[in-house]
Amino acid sequence: MNDIFPALFHMLVFPGGLFALVAGLFLKGLDRRVEARMQRRVGPPLWQPFLDIVKLALKQTVIPATAQRTAFLAAPVLGFAGMAVCAALIPVAGAYAGLPGLGDLLVLFYLLPLPAVALMVGGSASSSPFGALGFSREMCMMLAYEVPLLAVLLAVAMKVGAATGVGVEFSLSAVVGYQLAHGSLALDPVMWPALAAYLLFLPGTMGVPPFDVPEAETEVLEGPLLEYSGPALGFFHLASALKTMVVLGLGVAMFFPAPLPGGALVNVAWFLAKCAGLMLLTLTVVKAATGRFRVEQAFLFYLKYPAPLALLSLGLAWRGL
Amino acid sequence: MSGGATAKTYTLPVGPVHVALEEPMYFRLDVEGEIVRGVELGAGHVHRGMEALALRRTLFQNIVLTERVCSLCSNSHPYTYCMAVENLAGMTVPERAQVLRVIAEEIKRISSHLFNVAVLAHIIGFKSLFMHVMEVREIMQDIKETVYGNRMDLAANCIGGVRYDLDEELTGYLLHGLDSVRGQVEGVHKIYSSDRMLLRRSRGVGVLGAADARELGVVGPVARGSGLELDVRHNAPYGGYALLGVEPVVERDGDVHSRAMVRLREIFVSIELIRRCVRELPGGPTTVLLPEIPAGEALARSEAPRGELVYFLRTDGTDVPNRLKWRVPSYMNWEALGRMMRDCRVSDIALIVNSIDPCISCTER
């Protein structure tokens, strides 16, 4: 019983739930501002995503007459809830040890696709042909980027497990602990292909150009999101903000979690700074500098580059290097 | 190509209001997975009855009306209309006016082509390139506003000449602007010829072979992108073009990329034309006294940014025309969509439609 309250606190307030929400929305605001500046525009203020959420909350969710009501309304909430829990599983070195009892890398791997699945279910339930197109495209993209993700997670787990003698180490807290003692995995040449694969995985999973195929506004009119409005759409945006924090935080925890000397507050700020840096590199710059792939081009891209890179690291880690 | 519906296909409604189209047009697509099997067009959303309106206005007022048929070709329409009236009345337009008309036309052509090329980038999701090209176009918009007073509708033509003139200051400003545009468009041309993302999305997409192009009677950059040397400025020079001599810009492959390249290369041709016009601008009046417009029929054609534009005018001696008909270039290019979209992907639909540079306002009047 006593374990529940701390777990709930971590899931709902810090670092999950509220904290991840605020940080995620703020990161999105930063991303929009920097992208605008790269395009020689002024851009919205940093707190624009908060304003957007408030605006959406005040509007009405219009449900198409032919839509499947329950699935249509439950899908965004599902994505949001899944990501809120995930955020609690990411350790912040020097501030938060994670919830090893609640979940590890494997649980994260299962929960991470939830926003994408929510998008698919919502798109399908909306009974719009564009939703159906978005559904199939999102499915195709998931097939593409889940393979490198799994390979990267396994590579990290095997690397740490081999070094600590347990074989495979899925606990994220242990992975972070190992790096604090023996140096970040980002400094290990064996893990560089996995790091590269993870960096390439990030724009795909966040639906950012060149991989924004499922929500291509000029092709499928936002795909699954087309029929959404009001608070239901707001939940999709919140789920996306949370997912941003989760995948960036996961990248930081798996490859360069090293803390700064100082208290918890300093390290939380340092963690956020690292997340922001990772985001600017892999999401913002990529978004501003590219167009959009066709769905089969995006699929083949993931097969040709991130997948072999991640498998390379996996192979090397498995051989004990 | 229509009615490809089978048990395996579903209907995808594209338009009338669509993110990728500036104007309303309804496409009813039969799609199998991601492949388009059938296309049906539903037009008429912007029909304003302009040919009927033209019969309720005097010949003068129709200059204003024809300018508003389309905003991107907005100089070609009154230009061709005025030529039709001048042909009917047997008027000779002064040389200075002819050259000034060419300048206005070519300025509009550059802006129109830049717009189309920018929208190509937008459709493939390359927002930064879209904004970059639009910003280059802003130089042209500034030129238009400075020289003519308006960013889109120039109101440059009148029956018998032009309504504007270039002095030293305006000429200097114009040439300076053209120099900036030229440098920037060279950069843009390099991007469009070599950016791998762009090439992957536009090469081999929406192919129209030369034989098909000839059979369908397409005009403008669509025809020239498929290897046909169709350019009214070259085949049947009119006005100032008779003195200048224009070589048509032709590409062979007939895909979306070729058509974009034709437009980009034509920008360079237009810049050179304007520079020549400014250098060789003859003196003299910019307009002639208007005679009585007799009863009769006349035809005039010109090369609008989208292709061959034809105006037919019939008068009965009064100052209100008896019949004014115009056949726009976009009207000839719509049918080609059926061939180009054969078995294309959903992702390519907006791209192919944009590559024929459709002007729906022009088509539906």
Side-chain angles (χ1 to χ4, degrees):
Chain A
M1 189 64 191
N2 281 341
D3 299 329
I4 289 197
F5 286 119
L8 272 179
F9 174 81
H10 290 309
M11 271 196 280
L12 296 176
V13 183
F14 175 88
L18 213 57
F19 173 78
L21 212 57
V22 171
L25 286 174
F26 176 74
L27 279 182
K28 274 209 178 290
L30 181 68
D31 168 63
R32 282 170 72 170
R33 182 80 170 187
V34 172
E35 182 194 8
R37 288 298 162 100
M38 287 178 71
Q39 294 173 340
R40 290 188 61 173
R41 295 184 285 126
V42 176
L46 288 174
W47 52 89
Q48 183 66 36
F50 295 95
L51 299 174
D52 292 339
I53 299 293
V54 169
K55 176 200 77 174
L56 284 172
L58 295 173
K59 289 192 183 238
Q60 181 197 7
T61 298
V62 176
I63 307 176
T66 42
Q68 258 281 12
R69 275 190 79 99
T70 335
F72 187 79
L73 292 174
V77 180
L78 182 76
F80 170 78
M83 286 295 104
V85 169
C86 271
L89 300 177
I90 312 281
V92 178
Y96 169 69
L99 279 176
L102 197 61
D104 55 11
L105 281 174
L106 277 185
V107 173
L108 270 172
F109 179 68
Y110 273 101
L111 289 180
L112 268 177
L114 267 179
V117 170
L119 208 61
M120 293 200 299
V121 169
S124 181
S126 71
S127 82
S128 145
F130 295 105
L133 264 175
F135 178 109
S136 88
R137 287 169 165 216
E138 182 71 59
M139 180 93 77
C140 192
M141 287 306 297
M142 273 184 66
L143 284 173
Y145 63 65
E146 290 292 317
V147 170
L149 175 66
L150 183 60
V152 167
L153 295 181
L154 283 178
V156 169
M158 277 206 176
K159 173 83 192 169
V160 175
T164 53
V166 296
V168 204
E169 181 59 77
F170 283 117
S171 163
L172 207 45
S173 310
V175 166
V176 172
Y178 169 80
Q179 292 183 71
L180 295 183
H182 298 99
S184 302
L185 286 179
L187 301 171
D188 185 341
V190 165
M191 295 307 288
W192 284 347
L195 177 60
Y198 193 76
L199 293 179
L200 289 171
F201 154 78
L202 284 175
T205 190
M206 291 312 302
V208 145
F211 304 109
D212 65 337
V213 182
E215 287 178 43
E217 55 163 25
T218 56
E219 294 168 20
V220 286
L221 297 161
E222 301 270 336
L225 288 180
L226 176 62
E227 297 291 343
Y228 276 96
S229 51
L233 183 59
F235 269 111
F236 270 120
H237 287 194
L238 290 175
S240 176
L242 285 172
K243 186 172 181 184
T244 314
M245 273 308 292
V246 169
V247 292
L248 292 173
L250 182 61
V252 170
M254 283 200 301
F255 291 104
F256 40 96
L260 289 176
L265 233 55
V266 170
N267 279 305
V268 168
W270 177 228
F271 174 75
L272 285 177
K274 281 191 281 191
C275 286
L278 191 57
M279 177 191 77
L280 290 175
L281 175 69
T282 56
L283 298 179
T284 314
V285 168
V286 170
K287 193 193 325 189
T290 58
R292 183 188 308 124
F293 275 132
R294 280 205 292 260
V295 62
E296 75 275 5
Q297 291 169 341
F299 184 84
L300 287 172
F301 175 87
Y302 271 103
L303 245 49
K304 280 199 288 193
Y305 303 103
L309 283 172
L311 290 170
L312 176 64
S313 272
L314 179 59
L316 292 173
W318 185 43
R319 302 297 283 141
L321 289 166
Chain B
M1 179 170 92
S2 63
T6 66
K8 289 186 291 181
T9 63
Y10 62 94
T11 309
L12 198 67
V14 175
V17 179
H18 186 84
V19 172
L21 304 169
E22 297 98 52
E23 295 168 289
M25 175 61 84
Y26 179 61
F27 296 91
R28 200 171 153 278
L29 301 167
D30 296 310
V31 181
E32 185 183 323
E34 281 250 343
I35 311 281
V36 173
R37 296 290 180 210
V39 179
E40 262 179 51
L41 292 175
H45 304 274
V46 217
H47 177 66
R48 294 158 287 166
M50 289 183 94
E51 287 185 1
L53 289 177
L55 303 185
R56 290 183 184 52
R57 281 157 175 70
T58 67
L59 292 168
F60 290 103
Q61 290 169 325
N62 280 329
I63 305 174
V64 174
L65 184 70
T66 49
E67 183 128 27
R68 279 138 186 84
V69 173
C70 168
S71 66
L72 283 168
C73 301
S74 80
N75 189 62
S76 311
H77 283 274
Y79 186 178
T80 323
Y81 168 69
C82 290
M83 276 204 296
V85 180
E86 288 148 14
N87 286 348
L88 202 155
M91 292 163 65
T92 318
V93 177
E95 272 194 16
R96 187 177 177 86
Q98 299 279 29
V99 177
L100 286 172
R101 278 182 172 178
V102 168
I103 294 177
E105 185 76 358
E106 294 306 313
I107 289 177
K108 286 294 288 186
R109 193 184 312 275
I110 298 173
S111 312
S112 172
H113 284 336
L114 280 173
F115 184 84
N116 180 269
V117 160
V119 174
L120 176 87
H122 173 60
I123 289 177
I124 63 173
F126 204 156
K127 295 203 182 88
S128 303
L129 184 58
F130 162 65
M131 291 187 203
H132 176 63
V133 180
M134 283 306 233
E135 206 177 323
V136 175
R137 183 171 174 263
E138 280 300 305
I139 306 174
M140 294 309 301
Q141 298 289 80
D142 285 339
I143 290 176
K144 284 192 263 180
E145 190 169 10
T146 308
V147 176
Y148 302 98
N150 191 306
R151 285 161 58 100
M152 283 311 256
D153 289 341
L154 306 184
N157 295 290
C158 65
I159 303 175
V162 287
R163 287 184 62 221
Y164 79 106
D165 207 345
L166 286 179
D167 60 18
E168 239 186 77
E169 203 185 348
L170 281 176
T171 312
Y173 181 85
L174 173 62
L175 290 175
H176 182 71
L178 285 178
D179 288 335
S180 322
V181 167
R182 184 160 220 289
Q184 302 265 18
V185 175
E186 272 172 9
V188 169
H189 183 253
K190 214 163 98 181
I191 299 176
Y192 276 81
S193 334
S194 61
D195 183 86
R196 284 171 52 206
M197 165 76 63
L198 232 145
L199 292 176
R200 243 187 297 196
R201 287 300 304 266
S202 61
R203 277 248 175 91
V205 171
V207 178
L208 186 70
D212 279 339
R214 210 170 282 121
E215 181 195 327
L216 292 167
V218 296
V219 292
V222 181
R224 295 196 282 278
S226 297
L228 304 181
E229 282 190 20
L230 291 177
D231 188 330
V232 185
R233 301 174 292 172
H234 173 78
N235 303 122
Y238 53 97
Y241 294 104
L243 311 160
L244 288 166
V246 178
E247 280 301 313
V249 171
V250 172
E251 294 270 339
R252 301 274 152 218
D253 294 328
D255 54 17
V256 167
H257 187 253
S258 306
R259 295 191 274 275
M261 284 291 112
V262 166
R263 293 186 182 102
L264 277 172
R265 285 168 55 198
E266 279 186 4
I267 294 176
F268 294 119
V269 171
S270 294
I271 293 177
E272 277 319 302
L273 277 173
I274 301 176
R275 283 190 181 148
R276 267 186 70 192
C277 285
V278 167
R279 265 202 316 270
E280 302 169 13
L281 189 60
T286 54
T287 184
V288 285
L289 267 182
L290 233 46
E292 283 289 319
I293 312 287
E297 289 181 357
L299 201 69
R301 32 180 211 145
S302 73
E303 182 75 14
R306 279 155 189 75
E308 180 192 33
L309 174 65
V310 183
Y311 261 74
F312 169 76
L313 173 68
R314 186 164 63 220
T315 54
D316 54 10
T318 65
D319 61 356
V320 174
N322 192 266
R323 176 76 171 108
L324 180 63
K325 171 165 180 68
W326 53 95
R327 194 231 62 200
V328 298
S330 294
Y331 187 84
M332 300 307 294
N333 293 339
W334 285 111
E335 278 305 307
L337 277 180
R339 301 281 167 94
M340 292 179 200
M341 285 214 218
R342 189 176 285 156
D343 296 335
C344 81
R345 288 190 173 74
V346 170
S347 350
D348 298 330
I349 295 167
L351 205 57
I352 297 174
V353 171
N354 181 66
S355 78
I356 68 167
D357 205 359
C359 186
I360 293 149
S361 314
C362 273
T363 313
E364 299 183 9
R365 298 156 271 158

